């Protein structure tokens, strides 16, 4: 996997896209379908030739993530931006815990592979697949001491279909966090290389 600024920016965009969708569902109960499908598809991209191939090979599929990335890293003043950034940082931290647990990684990989049939049969936004992926997240990553606290409308989050989507998207966020690390990403870059990432994300949006 290439370790360029371009690849790190794309992976961070995927991470931001998943985090922003979690926020949308938690507060509104709905989200942009195509962006959701891109995030969920990324879980099944196990042998990509390039970073962009993880997101279906099209820049347009991570457009929302690039937009969020360029605003959240630049501003961080609005409450909604701070919330998305919190999810992103928590997912990066959670992924760092996961990489030290090869047994759990193996379980997640195996169960995602089993879910591939559900995805090909029903599609990438079907409730059956969401429930399947949510159970993977619930049985593995949510057992760590650090648990991502999703804030939003309690009535919305109590609905099973919304809770499943949120957990499935958090799993997709972990996929992008893995990709970001593989492309040379480090937490300090979010502080010291922030301007470079924002500039590149905006260039890709154009």
């Amino acid at each position: 996997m290439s370790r360029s600024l371009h690849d790190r920016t794309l992976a961070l965009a995927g991470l931001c896209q998943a985090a922003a969708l979690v926020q949308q569902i938690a507060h509104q109960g709905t989200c942009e379908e195509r962006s959701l499908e891109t995030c969920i598809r990324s879980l099944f991209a196990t042998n990509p030739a390039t970073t962009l191939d993880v997101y279906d090979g099209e820049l347009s599929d991570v457009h929302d993530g690039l937009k969020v990335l360029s605003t959240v890293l630049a501003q961080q003043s609005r409450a909604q931006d701070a919330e998305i950034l919190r999810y992103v940082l928590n997912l990066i931290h959670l992924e760092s815990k996961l990489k030290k647990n090869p047994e759990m990684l193996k379980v997640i990989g195996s169960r995602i592979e089993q879910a591939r049939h559900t995805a090909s049969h029903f599609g990438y936004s079907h409730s059956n697949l969401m429930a399947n992926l949510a159970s993977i997240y619930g049985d593995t990553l949510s057992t760590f001491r650090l648990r991502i606290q999703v804030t939003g409308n309690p009535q919305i989050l109590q609905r099973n279909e919304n809770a499943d989507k949120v957990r499935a998207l958090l799993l997709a966020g972990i996929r992008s966090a893995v990709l970001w690390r593989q492309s040379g990403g480090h937490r300090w870059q979010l502080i010291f290389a922030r301007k470079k990432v924002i500039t590149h994300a905006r260039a890709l949006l154009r």
Side-chain angles (χ1 to χ4, degrees):
M1 188 65 67
S2 173
R3 295 166 68 87
S4 67
L5 172 65
H6 177 70
D7 294 288
R8 288 193 294 277
T9 303
L10 288 174
L12 263 184
L15 188 44
C16 284
Q17 188 156 306
L21 291 171
V22 165
Q23 184 191 57
Q24 285 174 31
I25 293 166
H27 288 275
Q28 302 159 25
T30 59
C31 71
E32 212 284 317
E33 186 96 352
R34 184 176 172 183
S35 292
L36 171 72
E37 286 204 7
T38 297
C39 289
I40 300 304
R41 277 177 185 272
S42 72
L43 287 164
F44 300 95
T46 46
N47 290 298
T50 67
T51 301
L52 192 55
D53 284 345
V54 174
Y55 307 109
D56 230 21
E58 298 288 339
L59 262 181
S60 58
D61 286 331
V62 283
H63 180 273
D64 291 348
L66 287 166
K67 202 171 172 182
V68 170
L69 174 59
S70 64
T71 55
V72 166
L73 279 189
Q75 296 173 180
Q76 300 176 33
S77 54
R78 298 183 305 172
Q80 65 195 71
D81 293 335
E83 191 173 79
I84 291 171
L85 188 60
R86 175 170 63 82
Y87 294 147
V88 168
L89 293 173
N90 282 345
L91 284 163
I92 287 170
H93 186 55
L94 201 56
E95 190 277 330
S96 72
K97 299 286 184 194
L98 176 62
K99 75 174 181 181
K100 296 171 186 169
N101 192 326
E103 201 55 45
M104 187 180 286
L105 268 168
K106 195 185 294 182
V107 169
I108 291 172
S110 169
R111 288 185 60 181
I112 285 174
E113 202 51 47
Q114 289 167 23
R116 195 182 288 277
H117 175 72
T118 307
S120 59
H121 188 71
F122 291 106
Y124 291 94
S125 58
H126 196 276
S127 58
N128 285 14
L129 180 62
M130 294 299 156
N132 197 329
L133 296 174
S135 73
I136 297 173
Y137 183 87
D139 293 342
T140 56
L141 289 150
S142 71
T143 63
F144 282 126
R145 185 173 294 175
L146 167 75
R147 299 184 69 177
I148 298 176
Q149 299 296 321
V150 174
T151 51
N153 184 325
Q155 288 181 311
I156 288 172
L157 287 167
Q158 279 165 10
R159 292 181 202 141
N160 286 338
E161 66 269 26
N162 292 330
D164 285 347
K165 278 183 183 176
V166 162
R167 291 190 184 102
L169 282 164
L170 290 174
L171 189 63
I174 292 290
R175 170 69 180 104
S176 286
V178 168
L179 190 62
W180 182 65
R181 176 176 51 78
Q182 288 173 337
S183 59
H186 298 282
R187 283 169 72 98
W188 60 262
Q189 291 168 353
L190 297 176
I191 301 165
F192 299 111
R194 192 163 55 92
K195 285 185 180 176
K196 284 184 181 178
V197 173
I198 292 166
T199 301
H200 193 66
R202 287 176 177 167
L204 291 175
L205 282 168
R206 287 196 295 272

